[in-house]
Amino acid sequence: MLRVYRVDPINPSPEAIRIASDYIKRGDLVAFPTETVYGLGADTFNANACLKVFKAKGRPPDNPLIVHVSSIDELGKVAIDIPDIVWQIVNRAWPGPLTLILPRSPDVPKEATGGRNTVAVRSPAHPVALMLIKYSGTPIAAPSANKSGRPSPTLAEHIIEDYKNDNIDMILLDAGSTFFGVESTIVDVTRNPPVLLRPGPFTLEELRSLFGMDIVVPEFARGLGEADAALAPGMKYRHYAPRTRLLIVECGDYDMLVKTIHDTTVDYLNKGMRVALLITKETAELLSTRYTEISELPIILLGYRGNPYTIATNLFDSLRNLDRVNVDIGIAEGIEERGIGLAIMNRLRKASGFSIIKC
Ligand code: TXA
Ligand code: MG
């Protein structure tokens, strides 16, 4: 049974967290909020509990989990051969949305790391997550709590939607909306120079200044093309995907972008297809003043173009909403790949299965 406990995101009451930590200790699953997205957690050192995460999500066994620690000291329990620079970096960046790939401690079962000799570790900046790890007395291995292939959960309702028909014993700590809305930045620090495996709220600009060196950004980290499975095991799977077809429009020039969204929409409407638009507030206003004929269409507001953090927070809910409006295709507005925009474009491009119109 899925048991839901509401907790305050900032001052969680100890009772619910204690019940949830008992689940972790006995090898069961807890869905919990982090500052990025909700995770589906198990005791890192319990191989069977980790296997339950894969089973519940329908996750391929070679796609490793992220180990969540409540303090910097705990890093030494799950990773080995940690260079001085990494200690300096975690001292400055944790708790926060930065996941580092490091050599795995033999104490971490291979089941947690998809058979790899490396482990992904981060310390989440969310009071509920930190308290849960502390009360459980063990680092918690957790991927995003969505069913494999679905958009990551940024609200407890998304988890209920994904698991309501399952017969699984788990606790869901409902603390409302997560803060950033896109998953953590992942950097492989076993490579020199370090490689960005997934852009996230900890931006590339911030990473470069934190590391004091260049960071390699492979094409797949921009959401363009498939990843090399040896480097980034999880990135080869279709991710964040709504069930409805999705198309992204990307332009350097904003006027051209608005016009192309309009023209593309009209093309699909003329083919007899039902279209929904995933666009920013600014673009919705422009479209409705310039082109009255498409103001009738379902519009899913992504947030403000002028404040891409609002887009990040809404992104996965918008992708889920696309499946609720009952159309044949969603046409989404691309944004600039700066700051958190890189993470947003990575998720959007992958969600579209790389269906991109450039202008
Ligand atoms: O913000 C987040 O990172 C959230 C919250 C719950 O912490 N977690 C999350 O996990 O998004 P998820 O579902 O994306 O899975 C972990 C990702 C996968 O893409 C996986 O391939 C990568 O981390 N990963 C884990 N261990 C790795 C390793 N040893 N080497 C390379 N990539 C790894
Ligand atoms: Mg995930």
Side-chain angles (χ1 to χ4, degrees), residues 209-287:
S209 113
L210 184 68
F211 280 75
M213 61 175 99
D214 198 31
I215 307 284
V216 176
V217 183
E219 281 288 279
F220 69 78
R222 298 177 56 215
L224 296 170
E226 303 292 337
D228 169 3
L231 191 62
M235 311 298 165
K236 66 183 174 194
Y237 300 105
R238 184 156 183 237
H239 263 78
Y240 321 116
R243 299 190 177 96
T244 312
R245 210 174 129 197
L246 179 67
L247 180 69
I248 317 296
V249 181
E250 295 184 27
C251 295
D253 180 83
Y254 184 51
D255 265 333
M256 188 59 108
L257 176 77
V258 175
K259 183 176 181 312
T260 309
I261 291 175
H262 167 264
D263 294 352
T264 311
T265 303
V266 170
D267 280 351
Y268 280 103
L269 291 175
N270 287 340
K271 286 185 206 154
M273 289 170 77
R274 293 163 303 169
V275 181
L277 298 177
L278 291 89
I279 52 180
T280 61
K281 182 84 176 147
E282 292 92 328
T283 303
E285 277 168 9
L286 263 184
L287 280 171

Side-chain angles (χ1 to χ4, degrees), residues 28-298:
D28 277 323
L29 306 183
V30 175
F32 62 98
T34 79
E35 79 280 39
T36 56
V37 300
Y38 277 81
L40 184 61
D43 178 357
T44 299
F45 297 125
N46 180 337
N48 272 328
C50 292
L51 287 174
K52 283 185 188 172
V53 174
F54 287 89
K55 186 158 178 262
K57 275 189 63 120
R59 187 177 181 95
D62 62 347
N63 188 2
L65 311 180
I66 293 178
V67 172
H68 297 71
V69 295
S70 64
S71 70
I72 288 161
D73 299 338
E74 258 178 5
L75 174 58
K77 289 191 194 164
V78 295
I80 53 173
D81 301 334
I82 302 163
D84 283 346
I85 179 169
V86 169
W87 286 114
Q88 288 160 22
I89 284 166
V90 296
N91 261 298
R92 290 175 61 189
W94 283 1
L98 177 61
T99 298
L100 299 173
I101 308 296
L102 286 160
R104 174 178 63 92
S105 152
D107 295 337
V108 175
K110 281 201 160 188
E111 284 79 358
T113 65
R116 300 193 154 231
N117 288 324
T118 52
V119 62
V121 193
R122 83 180 192 97
S123 186
H126 195 296
V128 174
L130 289 175
M131 199 165 165
L132 177 68
I133 303 165
K134 282 202 187 106
Y135 279 30
S136 302
T138 180
I140 294 182
S144 51
N146 53 289
K147 286 270 178 174
S148 201
R150 296 280 292 145
S152 294
T154 52
L155 293 166
E157 289 76 10
H158 297 156
I159 299 170
I160 296 170
E161 178 179 71
D162 281 9
Y163 294 88
K164 61 178 183 284
N165 297 323
D166 290 15
N167 181 20
I168 121 175
D169 198 18
M170 97 186 190
I171 285 193
L172 164 58
L173 295 172
D174 173 0
S177 176
T178 57
F179 309 145
F180 286 113
V182 289
E183 309 90 335
S184 63
T185 306
I186 305 182
V187 182
D188 187 345
V189 290
T190 68
R191 295 176 197 257
N192 197 2
V195 179
L196 179 71
L197 299 185
R198 180 175 72 186
F202 209 100
T203 65
L204 185 59
E205 295 83 346
E206 287 168 330
L207 281 178
R208 288 188 168 135
S209 113
L210 184 68
F211 280 75
M213 61 175 99
D214 198 31
I215 307 284
V216 176
V217 183
E219 281 288 279
F220 69 78
R222 298 177 56 215
L224 296 170
E226 303 292 337
D228 169 3
L231 191 62
M235 311 298 165
K236 66 183 174 194
Y237 300 105
R238 184 156 183 237
H239 263 78
Y240 321 116
R243 299 190 177 96
T244 312
R245 210 174 129 197
L246 179 67
L247 180 69
I248 317 296
V249 181
E250 295 184 27
C251 295
D253 180 83
Y254 184 51
D255 265 333
M256 188 59 108
L257 176 77
V258 175
K259 183 176 181 312
T260 309
I261 291 175
H262 167 264
D263 294 352
T264 311
T265 303
V266 170
D267 280 351
Y268 280 103
L269 291 175
N270 287 340
K271 286 185 206 154
M273 289 170 77
R274 293 163 303 169
V275 181
L277 298 177
L278 291 89
I279 52 180
T280 61
K281 182 84 176 147
E282 292 92 328
T283 303
E285 277 168 9
L286 263 184
L287 280 171
S288 70
T289 51
R290 285 192 195 165
Y291 311 102
T292 42
E293 78 272 24
I294 66 173
S295 56
E296 307 282 294
L297 300 179

